[in-house]
Amino acid sequence: MNLTEILASGAVSAPTRLNPLQLFLDADIVVQAVILGLVLASIWVWAIIVSFQLKMGSVRKRSREFEKLFLSAREPERLLDDGRRTNPSLRVAKAGLEELARSTGSSGRVIDRNGAAARVALAMEGQVATEADSLAERLNFLATTGAVAPFVGLFGTVWGIMNSFFQIGQQQNSSLAVVAPGISEALFATAIGLFAAIPAVIAYNRFSHRVNAFEARLQRFADRVHAQVGRELEGL
C-alpha cells in the first residue's frame, strides 16, 4: 500500500491543530535558536513591564506624599534628612536647597540674589532630568525588542524556507507534504517575533508617556520650590 492509499483509507490521521512545542522540536537548529532567543526576550519584556508598573506606582505615590508635606511644612529642610522618604521629589528639592546653602554660605547672606536663584533653578532642573533618565533607563530594551524582534523572527523564517527548498532538492520531490512542515516551523519564528515585539512597542509608548508626565510633574514641583526659595532670598 503506497502513501496515497494509506491517506485515502484514513490509516494516517493528520493533526487537527498546531502544536507550538512540536513545531519548535521539529525545527532546524538555527530556527530553534531564533525562537529560543525571542522567547527569552519576550519573558524579559514582560518582566520589565510588570516591574516598571509596580515601580512607577510606588514612586508616584511617595513623591505625591512628600510634595504635600514639603510645601506645607514650616521647616521643609528637616524632611530632607528622613531616609524613609527617598524619592525623586525629595532629591529634586534637596538639590535646590543644597545649592541655596552653597550660595548663601555660612553667613547666611547672599550678594547676588538673581544669580543664586538661577543656580537653584538649574540645580533642580538637572536633577529632574536625572530622575527622568533613571526611570526611562530600562525602557530602552522595550524599544530595541519592538524594533528588532520582527526582523529576527523573519530571519528564522527565511532560514526555514531555505531549508525546505533544500529538502525538495535532496528528495527530488516538490510535494506539499515535503515542504509544509519546514514552512510551518519557519512561519512560527515570525509569529514568536511578533509575540515579543507587539507588547514591547505598546509598553514602550505607554511608559514613555508616563515618564514624560512624571517629569513634567517634577518640574512643576521644582518651580514651586524655586518660588519659595525666591521669597526666602528676598528676605535676606
Side-chain angles (χ1 to χ4, degrees):
M1 181 180 292
N2 58 31
L3 179 60
T4 304
E5 294 173 341
I6 294 175
L7 292 175
S9 64
V12 176
S13 59
T16 58
R17 60 182 178 178
L18 290 176
N19 186 338
L21 180 59
Q22 193 62 44
L23 286 176
F24 172 76
L25 295 176
D26 293 339
D28 180 81
I29 184 63
V30 175
V31 179
Q32 286 183 342
V34 169
I35 293 175
L36 184 59
L38 291 172
V39 169
L40 293 176
S42 179
I43 293 173
W44 187 242
V45 162
W46 281 104
I48 292 176
I49 291 174
V50 173
S51 63
F52 187 89
Q53 186 76 17
L54 295 175
K55 179 180 180 181
M56 201 66 194
S58 175
V59 166
R60 290 178 61 185
K61 180 180 178 181
R62 286 186 283 114
S63 294
R64 184 168 55 248
E65 292 174 351
F66 173 80
E67 291 170 14
K68 184 177 180 180
L69 289 174
F70 184 89
L71 295 174
S72 62
R74 293 185 177 181
E75 297 181 358
E77 295 83 358
R78 294 186 176 182
L79 297 176
L80 303 181
D81 298 328
D82 190 350
R84 296 173 298 176
R85 302 184 185 279
T86 301
N87 59 68
S89 296
L90 184 150
R91 289 189 286 270
V92 169
K94 189 173 184 178
L97 295 185
E98 286 179 348
E99 180 58 40
L100 176 63
R102 286 191 290 268
S103 298
T104 57
S106 58
S107 62
R109 300 180 60 185
V110 61
I111 298 176
D112 184 2
R113 291 182 175 84
N114 292 332
R119 289 191 294 271
V120 169
L122 286 174
M124 288 191 292
E125 287 177 4
Q127 189 62 39
V128 168
T130 299
E131 296 298 334
D133 290 343
S134 177
L135 285 173
E137 183 178 6
R138 299 182 66 187
L139 299 185
N140 291 333
F141 184 81
L142 298 181
T144 301
T145 302
V148 174
F151 294 100
V152 175
L154 183 60
F155 168 76
T157 297
V158 170
W159 185 275
I161 293 176
M162 289 171 56
N163 187 54
S164 296
F165 281 112
F166 177 77
Q167 294 299 326
I168 291 177
Q170 288 291 99
Q171 301 181 25
Q172 298 182 354
N173 186 352
S174 60
S175 172
L176 185 61
V178 175
V179 298
I183 293 177
S184 298
E185 297 152 10
L187 293 176
F188 184 55
T190 297
I192 295 298
L194 295 175
F195 179 78
I198 292 174
V201 172
I202 294 175
Y204 176 78
N205 292 333
R206 176 61 178 168
F207 291 158
S208 294
H209 173 73
R210 293 186 65 181
V211 170
N212 291 336
F214 186 71
E215 182 179 9
R217 178 189 179 91
L218 284 180
Q219 188 58 56
R220 290 193 295 269
F221 172 66
D223 292 340
R224 297 181 69 178
V225 174
H226 184 256
Q228 287 188 357
V229 169
R231 287 191 291 269
E232 291 183 14
L233 290 174
E234 290 176 358
L236 296 179

